[in-house]
Amino acid sequence: MKNNIVYKYIGKVLIGFAILFIFPIIVSVIYHEDFIPFVIPQIISLFLGLGLNSIELKEEEKIFAREGFSIVTISWILISLIGALPLWLNHDASFVDSLFEIVSGFTTTGATIFKDVEILNKSILFWRSFSHFIGGMGVLAFVMTVIPLSKNDKSMHVLKAEMPGPTVAKLVPSMKKSLIYLYGIYIGLSFTEFILLLIGRLPVFDSLLITFGTAGTGGFSVLNSSIASYSLFAKYVVALFMFLFGVNFNIYFLMLIGDLKTALKSEELKVYGALFIGAVTIVVLNTISIFGNLFTTFTEAIFHVSSIMTSTGYSIGDINIYPTTSRVVMMSLMLVSACAGSTCGGFKISRLILCYKSIRREIRRLVHPNSVQVITFEGKKVSEETLKNTNIFLLLYALLIILIAFIVSFDGFDFETTTNAVFTTFANVGLCFNISNFADFSIISKLVLSLGMLFGRLEVFPLISLITDLKKK
Amino acid sequence: MKIVIVGIGKLGEHLARLLVKENNDVTLIDKNFEGKEAIINNEDVNYVEGNALDSLTLTEAGIAESDLLISVMKDDAQNLMCSLLGKNLGAKHTIARVRNPEYTNSINIIKDTLGLSMAINPELLAASQIAQTLSIPSALDATSFLKGKVDVVSLKVKEDSKLKNTTISHLAKKIGDSVIICAIERESEVIIPSGNTKIEIGDIIHVTGTRKDINNFLKYTGSIADKTKRVIIAGGSRTSIYLTRMLLDMGMSVTIIENDEERCKEISEKIPKALLIKADVSDQNVLYEEGIKYCDAFVSLTNIDEENIVYSMFASIVGVPKIITKINHIELDGVMQKASIDTSIAPHKIAANHVVQYVRAMEHSGASSCEAVYSFGDDIFEMIEFKVKEDFKGINKRLMDLNFRENVIIGAIQRGKNIIYPSGKDEIKLNDTIVIVSKSNLIRELNDVVR
């Protein structure tokens, strides 16, 4: 990389990241646990950050799209490597397993390699869930909100590379203010959930960690049984908030400024709602003979559909008893996921709408060869560039899934388990048919799936462009 | 009234003619009167050459004493600017033409801020006229009265019509008094019918009634056509955009054929539901491909009259049941009939009628006031809405006892929420709104209807 500004920027990100270690250290002090595993990575992150930050810029360097991609990708890889250290240093898992676990955390996947999470230190549990909370909005988004940046550093290219969705729109003209609003909404929603869970008589520690998991749509839990052993009230609270965190945050912003009309007009929101209701209906009809009781069926369906659709991955029961139709519906939802501009993974509903509209236009063109149609989304014109980009994204998305599935297939699991493991990691869901944890996968599979999670979270292009960039050299 | 008209284009000229006919003092302003001598020489008007945005020019035209300033220059912004100046220089009322759809969106703010009495958008008016006509496909033309409660539709009496060779009174016995045939056009003449007027083949009859009653009447005459579902519009003009929106709201499907790709994209972005075809309308393959044979209506709205006429002729050859043609400036009597173009629309004429209606209402404010005026059949007859006030001579008298002028009938009476289609025994009461049908320029105020 020629551009020093990339290193300098990454330095700043690492300094910001070092600050975050304070939280698990506090937790380990409270619970009288060993805090050394957190201090070591903190020091590494801080010094590496300071070192990189001290690089002198040769001339007036600027961040363009390519630099944006590089900064985001390298930062995410470094943060995953450093973030994995506490688990490894605490002798909870091998380094590859630790890496898988923390990538799963930061990408808000929630797939775990631990067969038993209940024996882990509280501080380690906290660190896992906390990584969801940070990863949900984006590590760089966090750094850009917290750390004072120079004029050049406030680059939309960085934000674009990290923020999910086909297009990134700022809420207000200033980027920093936009981010503060977004974080305000994020923390506000999280806080509400936390309070509601406390009202539901959950322990403070559990409430906090489940809130982290829901907010980032991650899915790491405190208990092996996920949410199953909590009260019905808590289950509904979690189900509701999983759904809410799957909504585009711009809509909350519109509601906050009182523009309810525009907010409710959102095409994406309507499709999200319709898909949700449709999926719940199908699953209820499909599983009622299994559960017998309509209310239980309904609770299960609502919880699991919203868990899978928003790529969270909490569960309140054994999903392996679900019949094939429900599995197909849920696995399709896994890939599509919820709205752009939320904390969800997956393909995003807005892209699905754009693809659907392009398909419809092409079919119209077959019938009316001379027809001209501009595709609009949320009442605005969508550029041909964005459409092309979305279609290519769909293709890459499918190709990568097949490629990863091919590599994982060597582990010798059956077809459904293999594809499902790939879907659930690539779409950052974490919940999976036939698998309760990823401990039995080979080292290579774990590494490839970790990479898959990063691909999924950063939406393919940043990583691909970095790889092609490196290949040129 | 003293009226100043700024901008002598199609609309300005037409307005000047109509307003002079109504005995107003009209002064024209334009930068250049070259090529516009006809209006100055043939009509009783005054004129000032100069820039209307210059207060000196406006003063010279007598703006200070004027009752009304009408700005119909090419540019919207200039019209608004001129109205603002005129208002401040003493014009009592101002009317400006505003065509830009973006301005139209915020027209209420503009009107309030500039003290504008009326903003006219000829294209929008034309579009709603076309939409209305398409909603009653068997009619040549449709307009509504009394705030939409009463329609007047015109239809041609064809050879197979039940109406041919019947007298009005004979017809009334059969269909009751739910609709009134209020005017008959025969060879560019208008007949305001009495009981023994006979309807002949080739007549264009104008019928007033509620939408439901008119539909029943059309059913009776056997001339009801299927509901319009598929419409093809030739040309992506501003009128096309307004019209497409209205038609889509009425549940029709709309195909617009436009040759400019950028324009197509622009319209597609504004109206995603419309089907935009980038093609030359004069390519018959395209027309066949887009199903001109199966469409219910064809509307030619390009900016060139000659093209519109040719496209409509083609649509007529193919057999499209309903064809509407926009004609901006061609004024050659009889050509339209020869080209078998039944319904033609001239935006500037519709706009001019709108203004004249406003001027008359202004003139009569106080007395039994004129609320609206509609002109028909190239201004040979008109329908006027009047609000009945105390000064009307015929209050509380039966219609048969009133000595009506020739060529005047009452088309409808609105009393409260009810609509009455009057017979000789009905009376006119205070605060009724009545619709008078008469030959043009007979009626200035309500008392003119009686001798």
Side-chain angles (χ1 to χ4, degrees), chain B residues 399-416:
Chain B
L399 293 183
M400 58 205 288
D401 299 336
L402 288 172
N403 187 9
F404 273 97
R405 275 173 91 138
E406 233 175 287
N407 289 325
V408 172
I409 61 168
I410 294 179
I413 301 176
Q414 182 188 21
R415 185 168 302 149

Side-chain angles (χ1 to χ4, degrees), chain A residues 360 364 367-376 379-381 384, chain B residues 261 264-265 268-269 272-279 286 289-290:
Chain A
R360 209 178 49 180
R364 196 183 226 192
V367 187
H368 304 281
N370 294 310
S371 69
V372 177
Q373 194 185 1
V374 172
I375 289 181
T376 54
K380 288 201 183 86
K381 174 177 156 189
E384 293 302 314
Chain B
E261 187 157 358
C264 281
K265 283 184 181 163
S268 163
E269 187 189 338
K273 269 190 177 166
L275 174 58
L276 269 294
I277 306 291
K278 186 229 163 281
V286 171
E289 196 170 73
E290 294 313 325

Side-chain angles (χ1 to χ4, degrees), chain A residues 47 130 211 294 319 328 442 444:
Chain A
F47 279 93
F130 191 58
T211 301
L294 183 68
I319 58 164
V328 170
S442 68
I444 291 179

